């Protein structure tokens, strides 16, 4: 069966759309002399016709918008967890700046009337008809795919029911991808600040570069594996991968630097704070053991330590309230003071909580207890910050895999479009290409 030509108003589905409604293809070429039907209201479309009747809400700017918003928020959260140092203050300033810029971008995006026109105009039709031309331009058919400048793939679909069904699936996939990228961006931003404070800016930047290179290479092979093992009997999917949009190691945002904001999200930074470089230039975990991405025991131990200190510090603060207003030189005479000293000597509290209550020989000095009461809130807050840092690190480890999961959803949208094309094939108009 020959593929049908495409007249004006045929439905279109895009792999980047973030709503469930298909659009309709419209002509954009200057000279139109070939029509479908005697009323001459529906031109037959060519490779020069690259537009739709109404813009798609596109995942590309949404990914960029939410990615940078969450990245900025992550920088601020990370800064608040390490605010005592210059890295924290610098990150806080950058985070506020990122949020301000992202907020301006969101406002600007609401003023754009047509998100697709320019990108579609810069795009190209692939798998066009090789022999038939209309108005000196190659005709497009049901097999044709329009590759948008931002990376989306559009295909003509005659049946509204088919277009609607698969548009809903693509919308769902892209929503999940945006959410995953936003989450990864947040933890990536927070993780970078913490890594900068703990490892130093130079090591962090080096690790970021290594991580992005590894992520890019692994994502390439993930896409390659999906495309080589999926829909082997679907010619549209095979054409899509071989002729319309081949897998590439070069990230899309590097192909057109002025528009890089639409092709990258900070989730690509992943989690740089889990591993670091040792003195020999190799990878080592934080505890110096065999290089691993995640040492669950180490994290659990630190979580327990901080939670125990918070609990102990709360109890100690409550006990110390009984000493309020008592002269420090008289504390040793009170039963409350004696009980606290005894508890400290018996190891009831973590060493970091009571360090300033002891002298150079490690003996508890009752007169130091009032000072200890003033220091406990700071220690408790530091424990809370430590837990926050551990949470960012643990979530950063999970976030390392978010881009791979997002890639799965992105590739699945391509498969959905190919299934839509296959189901719609044969529903075209009676005018067909003459292959003779």
């Amino acid at each position: 069966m020959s593929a049908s030509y495409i007249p004006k108003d045929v439905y279109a589905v895009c792999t980047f759309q973030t709503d469930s409604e298909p659009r309709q293809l419209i002509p954009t070429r200057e000279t139109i002399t070939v029509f479908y039907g005697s009323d001459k209201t529906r031109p037959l479309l060519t490779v020069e016709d690259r537009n739709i009747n109404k813009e798609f809400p596109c995942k590309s700017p949404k990914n960029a918008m939410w990615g940078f918003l969450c990245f900025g928020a992550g920088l601020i959260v990370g800064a608040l967890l390490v605010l005592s140092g210059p890295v924290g203050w610098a990150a806080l300033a950058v985070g506020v700046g990122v949020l301000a810029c992202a907020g301006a971008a969101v406002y600007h995006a609401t003023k754009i009337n047509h998100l697709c026109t320019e990108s579609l105009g810069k795009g190209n039709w692939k798998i066009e008809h090789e022999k038939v031309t209309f108005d000196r331009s190659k005709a497009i058919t049901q097999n044709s795919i329009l590759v948008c400048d931002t990376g989306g793939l559009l295909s003509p679909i005659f049946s509204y029911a088919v277009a609607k069904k698969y548009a809903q699936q693509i919308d769902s996939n892209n929503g999940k991808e945006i959410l995953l990228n936003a989450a990864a961006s947040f933890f990536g931003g927070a993780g970078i600040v913490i890594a900068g404070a703990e490892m130093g800016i130079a090591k962090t930047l080096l690790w970021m570069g290594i991580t992005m290179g590894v992520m890019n290479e692994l994502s390439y092979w993930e896409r390659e594996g999906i495309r080589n093992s999926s829909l082997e009997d679907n010619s549209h999917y095979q054409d899509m991968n071989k002729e319309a949009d081949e897998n590439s190691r070069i990230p899309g945002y590097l192909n057109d630097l002025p528009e890089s904001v639409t092709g990258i999200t900070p989730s690509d930074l992943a989690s740089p704070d889990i591993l670091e470089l040792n003195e020999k230039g190799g990878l080592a975990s934080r505890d110096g053991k065999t290089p691993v991405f995640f040492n669950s025991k180490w994290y659990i131990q630190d979580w327990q330590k901080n939670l125990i200190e918070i609990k102990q510090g709360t109890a100690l603060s409550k006990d110390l309230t009984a000493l309020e207003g008592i002269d420090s030189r008289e504390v040793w005479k009170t039963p409350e003071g004696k009980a606290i000293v005894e508890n400290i000597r018996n190891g009831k509290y973590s060493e970091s909580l009571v360090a300033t209550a002891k002298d150079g020989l490690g003996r508890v000095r009752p007169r130091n207890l009032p000072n200890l009461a003033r220091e406990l809130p700071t220690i408790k807050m530091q424990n809370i910050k430590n837990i926050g840092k551990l949470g960012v690190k643990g979530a950063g480890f999970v976030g390392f895999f978010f881009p791979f999961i997002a890639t799965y959803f992105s590739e699945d949208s391509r498969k959905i479009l190919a299934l839509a094309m296959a189901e719609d094939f044969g529903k075209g108009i009676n005018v067909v290409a003459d292959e003779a």
Side-chain angles (χ1 to χ4, degrees):
M1 181 182 294
S2 299
S4 172
Y5 296 127
I6 305 301
K8 174 181 177 289
D9 294 336
V10 167
Y11 298 104
V13 175
C14 178
T15 56
F16 275 24
Q17 70 182 83
T18 58
D19 70 354
S20 59
E21 193 62 32
R23 301 299 190 260
Q24 292 173 287
L25 294 167
I26 60 174
T28 56
R29 66 183 189 269
E30 293 183 3
T31 302
I32 300 176
T33 64
V34 182
F35 299 88
Y36 169 65
S38 58
D39 56 2
K40 295 186 178 181
T41 60
R42 300 184 68 187
L44 290 174
L45 302 183
T46 73
V47 293
E48 296 301 316
D49 300 313
R50 299 186 297 271
N51 207 353
I52 50 179
N53 65 324
K54 181 182 178 183
E55 77 279 3
F56 280 116
C58 179
K59 82 170 183 181
S60 185
K62 284 189 176 182
N63 253 336
M65 178 187 75
W66 286 110
F68 280 102
L69 277 172
C70 293
F71 184 64
L75 288 176
I76 291 175
V77 169
L80 293 176
L81 294 174
V82 296
L83 203 53
S84 58
V87 173
W89 287 107
L92 182 62
V94 172
V96 171
V98 169
L99 283 182
C101 292
V106 172
Y107 173 79
H108 179 65
T110 63
K111 305 301 181 183
I112 298 175
N113 294 322
H114 207 300
L115 299 176
C116 294
T117 297
E118 183 176 356
S119 296
L120 289 177
K122 292 180 180 179
N124 290 287
W125 280 101
K126 303 292 185 179
I127 320 173
E128 67 274 22
H129 203 294
E130 290 296 331
K131 297 180 179 179
V132 176
T133 61
F134 301 142
D135 299 322
R136 299 184 179 181
S137 297
K138 290 183 178 180
I140 60 171
T141 71
Q142 283 178 296
N143 293 328
S144 301
I145 295 173
L146 176 55
V147 182
C148 174
D149 187 54
T150 61
L153 305 179
L154 289 81
S155 180
I157 304 292
F158 278 89
S159 168
Y160 175 78
V162 172
K164 177 71 173 180
K165 179 175 72 171
Y166 290 102
Q168 289 174 329
Q169 296 179 33
I170 291 175
D171 173 35
S172 175
N173 265 11
N174 288 335
K176 294 170 185 174
E177 180 185 343
I178 291 168
L179 180 63
L180 288 168
N181 274 328
S185 298
F186 174 80
F187 290 111
I192 286 168
V193 178
I194 294 172
E198 294 182 354
M199 297 194 304
I201 295 176
K203 277 188 176 181
T204 301
L205 292 175
L206 177 61
W207 181 241
M208 283 169 56
I210 294 173
T211 302
M212 292 179 70
V214 171
M215 293 280 291
N216 189 64
E217 183 67 14
L218 292 178
S219 294
Y220 168 84
W221 287 109
E222 180 188 10
R223 292 191 300 269
E224 192 74 6
I226 291 172
R227 296 182 186 185
N228 287 337
S229 61
S230 302
L231 302 182
E232 296 177 359
D233 296 329
N234 188 310
S235 61
H236 302 288
Y237 185 66
Q238 302 306 320
D239 289 342
M240 184 185 298
N241 297 329
K242 295 176 181 178
E243 299 185 42
D245 183 36
E246 295 182 4
N247 190 18
S248 173
R249 280 190 172 88
I250 301 176
Y253 57 88
L254 292 181
N255 292 329
D256 191 356
L257 289 177
E259 297 184 6
S260 59
V261 71
T262 65
I264 183 174
T265 63
S267 64
D268 292 331
L269 301 177
S271 178
D273 58 316
I274 304 273
L275 299 177
E276 61 180 358
L277 297 177
N278 59 27
E279 63 278 3
K280 296 181 180 180
L283 293 177
S285 62
R286 282 302 207 168
D287 56 8
K289 296 179 181 179
T290 304
V292 291
F293 281 109
F294 188 67
N295 186 336
S296 59
K297 182 178 179 182
W298 182 76
Y299 279 105
I300 292 173
Q301 286 176 337
D302 275 17
W303 271 92
Q304 290 175 336
K305 175 185 174 183
N306 286 282
L307 288 172
I308 288 171
E309 284 203 357
I310 289 175
K311 184 177 180 180
Q312 291 177 347
T314 301
L316 181 56
S317 294
K318 183 178 179 181
D319 293 341
L320 289 170
T321 56
L323 303 179
E324 291 179 0
I326 297 177
D327 190 295
S328 61
R329 292 169 294 183
E330 302 295 320
V331 167
W332 66 274
K333 298 178 181 180
T334 65
E336 294 85 359
K338 293 177 180 179
I340 294 172
V341 170
E342 191 64 25
N343 286 334
I344 293 175
R345 288 174 177 172
N346 291 335
K348 183 177 179 180
Y349 306 108
S350 298
E351 186 64 27
S352 60
L353 290 174
V354 296
T356 57
K358 298 181 179 182
D359 61 15
L361 299 176
R363 292 188 295 245
V364 180
R365 296 294 184 183
R367 65 173 177 265
N368 291 336
L369 294 182
N371 292 332
L372 181 62
R374 290 189 290 271
E375 295 166 356
L376 282 177
T378 300
I379 296 174
K380 184 176 180 180
M381 180 56 65
Q382 186 56 52
N383 274 301
I384 293 174
K385 286 185 176 182
N386 289 341
I387 289 176
K389 286 192 232 179
L390 289 169
V392 168
K393 290 178 180 180
F397 165 73
V398 178
F400 182 85
F401 296 95
F402 280 176
F404 300 115
I405 302 172
T407 296
Y408 165 82
F409 286 115
S410 180
E411 288 299 308
D412 199 47
S413 293
R414 295 165 62 94
K415 291 190 283 185
I416 290 170
L417 180 61
L419 291 172
M421 294 173 69
E423 186 171 334
D424 188 65
F425 200 76
K427 294 181 171 63
I429 58 177
N430 292 329
V431 177
V432 294
D434 184 2
E435 301 290 348

